[in-house]
Amino acid sequence: MPPEYVGLRGDRRVASRPCSSRDECGRPAELELGRAVAFAYPSAPRERTFLMIKILAARFAAAFSAVAGHPFDPAVRVSQFSDFQANGALALARQLGRPPREVAAAVVAHLDLAGIADEVSVAGPGYINVNMAAGFLAASAAALLGDARLGVQERAGERVVVDYSGPNVAKELHVGHLRSTVIGDATARTLEWLGHDVVRANHLGDWGTPFGLLIEHLLDLGETAAAHDLSVGDLDAFYVAARAKFDADPAFADRARSRVVALQSGDPETLRLWRLLVAESERSFLAVYATLGVTLSPADFQGESFYNPMLAPLVSELDGLGLLRPSEGAQCVFPQGFSIPLIVRKRDGGFGYPATDLAAIRYRTQELKADRLVYVVGSPQHQHFEMVFQTAREAGWLAEPARAEHIGFGQILGADGRKLASRSGDTVKLAALLTEAVDRAARIVAAKNPELDPAEQAAVAYAVGVGAVKYADLAGDRIKDYVFDWDRMLSTTGDTAAYLQYTYARIQSVLRRSEESASGVSAVEGPLLLDSSAERALALALLGFADVVEEVAETLQFHKLTGYLQSVAGAFTAFYDSCPILRAPSPEVRASRLGLSRLTARVLRQGLDLVGIVTPDRM
RNA sequence: GCGCCCGUAGCUCAGCGGAUAGAGCAGCUGCCUUCUAAGCAGUUGGCCGCAGGUUCGAAUCCUGCCGGGCGCACCA
């Protein structure tokens, strides 16, 4: 087999590559192709924010710097002993050589929290505990209720390119693409909502030697028949058939090889056939994206072929910069800090993915003027991206303030602790996985709420099923592997999407009833009253939304958002359990509790929307 | 051989320099003539892989081991 027939390009977004030639599969790699605010507190102008911790941190910072004589981090955190605590006094004490409690007391003496906190105390070795004033929480929560953005300030707008999903043309989306697609879409949604200018980049594997045999197979079938086969959705079967012919029929293999040459030299007819394959694949991808509720559109497809014309000039440019060094017949860059080369041009003259990735960086920073490049690709490719980024820096294509990040993630494992595969050992197709998710959810919905009419049951099953899959993918630290477990992800209790969706649906139910009982007129919101501990705790939880969203936008650790939403839902259900809303003791309390409910619903809905999970109104 | 990641309750996971290590599931106790019990409240359960070190203070930082996963030049 000629070396150029080694494998499909692309699939770089797959968490782990298909079997390599020396792994447990014991099969050569070339046989593996088919698998594979402003805070509106009274008298506070717009520069304040809703963020409790930021408000406190600012006040504490003033007090700390008064004591320290210079700026000092107050280390304000959420506390289990009070609402918040500042831990900075311990570190400052060491610096000043004074007893920590004494320093803490000095800080408290300089602290101005009038109207914000009604209880400040020094505890333990020198922690400063703060309990917020109920009036302040109430006013803050009321302001949140009146803020369409729930306290999250809109950003000035960086241009961010989010590179995710990246399936291979002529192969179907499979579990290996799930995490990149889900995490990438959550990234795009979140950054976009924050006000950034997000460019979604679906870096398809749409170029390479395999297209020789694919195109010849297509010609054998006839374009019409081939298009039919492809549109039926079984792209993998099309590839497998082509591959089988290539292996069995030398004449076919020769045609395939010359077809590759024709493709690479730009033969118009060959390019037309190639586009046909690409177009059919894209239709297949879009169908799965639609089911998944992923925001990728045809405009976001920007495959490897897009960069083809840029590759030769790019290598020349690297040469001109003196970064290129021949090694064993290949053109290489040896980025600083790495002992192995980045092969930019292969010995046979072809370009590999490092060249394409470099071209993409240069295009994205220079043409798209991107400030931030996010690559949502499995963690095995960490070193590759570090090398590419370093090379781009040395070439001047990735210069401050622009930054590139590899957002890696672990594998999805089966119950056996090994990479998830179907019973027969094949990769699991995404379309089939989602169908099963919805089917399983449908059974649960039918059992839990048979009163819903069939259409609504189906809609709920869809939201719950797909939500479960996405949530399971996002709820853990993305760097770790996780075990794919239907029972756990579809559990109606616990840390699941269904629990959040159910909480949301319950709130909607109450709100619907409130409108009925108010004879169609929505009640005017009164001031919020936080008299019970449950109401207070709920308000406090709701006020944390902006903090979490901002952190997630920076770290892209979506499990922090899902964990936060769980705490909000938990605070709500505790409140729901102990505080009658519609039958509240007075109209004022009722209005306040309805306000808290409405705010909770909005936070849950917005939070889930940021990660692409749908919230049905009934379930 | 070099490098990266992960080892926390029976299970799945948070916490990543600060007070008694948290949550969900599973187990056990309670709670529906009342707004969706797909729920809530309580409870049992942990030498935070091991050993050193840094620090007033370490699950958290450093070093070395052990265990698991994954990379390491013409596949993408």
Side-chain angles (χ1 to χ4, degrees), chain A residues 16 48 55 73 77 97 179 242 244 270 348 383 434 458 478 486 537 595:
Chain A
S16 71
R48 297 277 181 80
I55 292 169
D73 178 13
R77 309 279 135 86
R179 301 208 72 184
T270 301
D348 67 3
Q383 183 176 261
L434 294 173
R478 56 165 215 278
W486 285 118

Side-chain angles (χ1 to χ4, degrees), chain A residues 70-357:
Chain A
H70 54 83
F72 197 86
D73 178 13
V76 178
R77 309 279 135 86
V78 171
S79 174
Q80 55 177 318
F81 301 98
S82 58
D83 292 341
F84 299 98
Q85 66 183 61
N87 297 334
L90 291 110
L92 180 57
R94 181 165 39 153
Q95 195 181 87
L96 299 179
R98 293 167 57 190
R101 286 189 65 99
E102 186 186 307
V103 171
V107 169
V108 172
H110 283 86
L111 194 59
D112 175 17
L113 292 178
I116 294 177
D118 52 13
E119 214 184 308
V120 179
S121 60
V122 176
Y127 306 106
I128 303 172
N129 288 337
V130 176
N131 275 315
M132 307 303 285
F136 181 76
L137 289 180
S140 301
L144 218 52
L145 200 49
D147 178 12
R149 296 189 54 82
L150 296 164
V152 180
Q153 289 177 318
E154 193 148 4
R155 292 322 179 78
E158 281 183 317
R159 174 160 286 192
V160 187
V161 176
V162 184
D163 185 320
Y164 68 108
S165 198
N168 268 343
V169 161
K171 285 177 77 178
E172 285 184 60
L173 279 159
H174 57 85
V175 269
H177 301 104
L178 182 63
R179 301 208 72 184
S180 173
T181 306
V182 169
I183 296 167
D185 205 51
T187 300
R189 287 167 177 267
T190 300
L191 295 178
E192 202 159 61
W193 188 69
L194 268 169
H196 296 300
D197 178 11
V198 172
V199 177
R200 291 167 175 77
N202 195 352
H203 197 87
L204 300 180
D206 66 353
W207 195 252
T209 50
F211 285 94
L213 53 96
L214 289 166
I215 290 171
E216 287 301 322
H217 182 52
L218 182 150
L219 287 170
D220 285 357
L221 291 174
E223 285 180 42
T224 318
H228 173 74
D229 276 14
L230 290 166
S231 65
V232 167
D234 201 350
L235 291 170
D236 289 353
F238 187 89
Y239 183 84
V240 168
R243 182 80 221 176
K245 270 203 277 186
F246 180 88
D247 291 337
D249 180 352
F252 180 87
D254 285 340
R255 278 160 52 203
R257 286 187 198 100
S258 36
R259 186 58 71 177
V260 173
V261 175
L263 179 66
Q264 286 170 342
S265 60
D267 172 59
E269 174 62 8
T270 301
L271 281 174
R272 188 183 67 79
L273 296 165
W274 167 75
R275 282 194 202 98
L276 204 144
L277 284 168
V278 173
E280 288 300 332
S281 297
E282 290 184 350
R283 280 176 48 179
S284 156
F285 301 151
L286 286 168
V288 177
Y289 292 151
T291 306
L292 244 190
V294 157
T295 56
L296 285 166
S297 76
D300 308 319
F301 288 123
Q302 200 151 79
E304 296 178 315
S305 63
F306 176 78
Y307 303 100
N308 281 348
M310 308 175 200
L311 301 180
L314 177 127
V315 173
S316 306
E317 198 174 326
L318 282 171
D319 198 18
L321 290 164
L323 292 171
L324 217 54
R325 197 156 25 120
S327 174
E328 296 178 29
Q331 297 297 313
C332 304
V333 176
F334 286 79
Q336 288 166 26
F338 297 90
S339 54
I340 52 170
L342 192 68
I343 296 178
V344 177
R345 185 158 206 170
K346 297 186 285 187
R347 190 170 16 202
D348 67 3
F351 300 101
Y353 65 108
T356 312
D357 280 331

Side-chain angles (χ1 to χ4, degrees), chain A residues 442 445-446 449-462:
Chain A
V445 173
N449 195 348
E451 270 95 79
L452 287 177
D453 67 68
E456 193 149 22
Q457 273 194 31
V460 172
Y462 170 74

